[in-house]
Amino acid sequence: MEERIKISMLLDLYEGLLTDKQNNIMDLYFNDDLSLAEISEITNTSRQAVFDTIKRCEKSLLNYDIKLKLFSRNEKLKQVKDAIISKLTEIDENTRNDEISLLKIEIEKYISELI
Amino acid sequence: MEERIKISMLLDLYEGLLTDKQNNIMDLYFNDDLSLAEISEITNTSRQAVFDTIKRCEKSLLNYDIKLKLFSRNEKLKQVKDAIISKLTEIDENTRNDEISLLKIEIEKYISELI
């Protein structure tokens, strides 16, 4: 996975552990794709301070994930969900049971809320 | 839920964010149920320092959980698992499908690994 996408996903998982100011800069950079100069202007912070914040936060996010492993836990949960849905689809093809089709929709919904 | 049990569960979730020394003291107190005096002797730390560490770590754990909400996320995952199993049991009673029985065992196993 591209490093930039990974950092953006880690930001979703660990934003609670960053300050509001850090979250704002990280969000502008990784989600809104603004340049350091643009972020510097918007946040009224020097370009160097914006750069330092991004680098420090990247390091913190990677470090949090080494300790809490929420990223791989989420990936595992997606795999489990896909495996359950796939198995239910197989069973459904053999039994044509409306209850199973409904259950598949419920599982998609409930597990997606946790990811 | 009793506060002591909750702290013990939070310790499982966030131990990665505490230091080895903090984890050791918290483990001896919350999981092995030792007294402050016993922990003080084992860790070669004053009774007051053991007490302070426990209070500080309790506060940190509760604070991490306000920010990351892993405790309620885990509870939700357990509920989702139970709901899926219960629905499959219902379907199974109507269809008597071996595949469904096997799937229930797999779901128990895979989701339990994530909790």
Side-chain angles (χ1 to χ4, degrees):
Chain A
M1 181 182 294
E2 198 200 327
E3 181 77 2
R4 197 180 170 89
I5 298 174
K6 170 126 192 201
I7 296 289
S8 177
M9 292 172 86
L10 292 180
L11 191 56
D12 273 347
L13 294 170
Y14 300 108
E15 62 180 343
L17 298 178
L18 301 183
T19 66
D20 287 347
K21 175 151 191 173
Q22 287 173 330
N23 269 312
N24 186 31
I25 289 174
M26 293 296 276
D27 186 48
L28 292 169
Y29 189 72
F30 286 97
N31 299 327
D32 296 344
D33 208 21
L34 299 192
S35 69
L36 295 180
E38 288 167 320
I39 299 171
S40 166
E41 205 179 313
I42 292 173
T43 60
N44 201 19
T45 313
S46 75
R47 196 182 171 288
Q48 183 63 42
V50 171
F51 178 79
D52 291 346
T53 299
I54 291 168
K55 287 298 143 197
R56 199 165 46 244
C57 289
E58 277 182 5
K59 209 170 152 186
S60 297
L61 292 173
L62 291 165
N63 204 25
Y64 289 139
D65 202 53
I66 288 169
K67 291 170 174 169
L68 295 176
K69 301 182 177 56
L70 296 188
F71 183 80
S72 61
R73 195 171 173 281
N74 257 8
E75 292 300 301
K76 184 86 192 293
L77 185 55
K78 282 180 205 165
Q79 286 168 15
V80 167
K81 185 192 74 174
D82 291 345
I84 297 172
I85 296 290
S86 153
K87 194 73 199 169
L88 281 176
T89 302
E90 211 178 281
I91 296 172
D92 195 20
E93 278 165 6
N94 297 329
T95 60
R96 302 273 167 207
N97 185 323
D98 284 348
E99 294 284 302
I100 294 181
S101 306
L102 278 176
L103 180 58
K104 275 164 56 185
I105 296 168
E106 279 176 23
I107 292 173
E108 282 282 4
K109 179 173 175 286
Y110 291 129
I111 296 192
S112 295
E113 283 171 9
L114 290 166
I115 291 172
Chain B
M1 182 182 294
E2 199 199 327
E3 181 77 2
R4 198 180 169 87
I5 298 173
K6 170 125 191 202
I7 297 289
S8 177
M9 293 172 86
L10 292 179
L11 192 56
D12 273 348
L13 294 170
Y14 299 108
E15 62 179 343
L17 298 178
L18 301 182
T19 66
D20 287 347
K21 176 153 190 170
Q22 287 174 329
N23 269 312
N24 187 30
I25 289 176
M26 293 297 276
D27 186 46
L28 291 169
Y29 189 71
F30 286 96
N31 298 328
D32 296 345
D33 208 23
L34 298 191
S35 69
L36 296 181
E38 288 169 319
I39 299 171
S40 165
E41 206 179 313
I42 291 173
T43 60
N44 201 20
T45 314
S46 74
R47 196 182 171 289
Q48 184 62 44
V50 171
F51 178 78
D52 291 345
T53 299
I54 292 169
K55 288 298 144 195
R56 200 166 44 246
C57 290
E58 278 182 4
K59 209 170 152 185
S60 296
L61 292 172
L62 291 165
N63 204 24
Y64 289 140
D65 202 52
I66 288 171
K67 291 169 174 170
L68 295 176
K69 301 182 176 58
L70 296 188
F71 183 80
S72 61
R73 194 173 173 280
N74 257 8
E75 292 301 302
K76 183 87 193 291
L77 185 55
K78 283 180 204 165
Q79 285 168 14
V80 168
K81 185 192 74 174
D82 291 345
I84 297 172
I85 296 291
S86 153
K87 193 76 199 168
L88 281 175
T89 302
E90 211 178 282
I91 296 171
D92 195 20
E93 277 165 7
N94 297 329
T95 60
R96 302 272 167 207
N97 186 324
D98 284 348
E99 294 283 301
I100 294 180
S101 306
L102 279 176
L103 180 58
K104 275 164 56 184
I105 297 168
E106 280 176 22
I107 292 173
E108 281 283 3
K109 180 174 175 286
Y110 291 130
I111 296 192
S112 295
E113 283 172 9
L114 289 166
I115 291 171

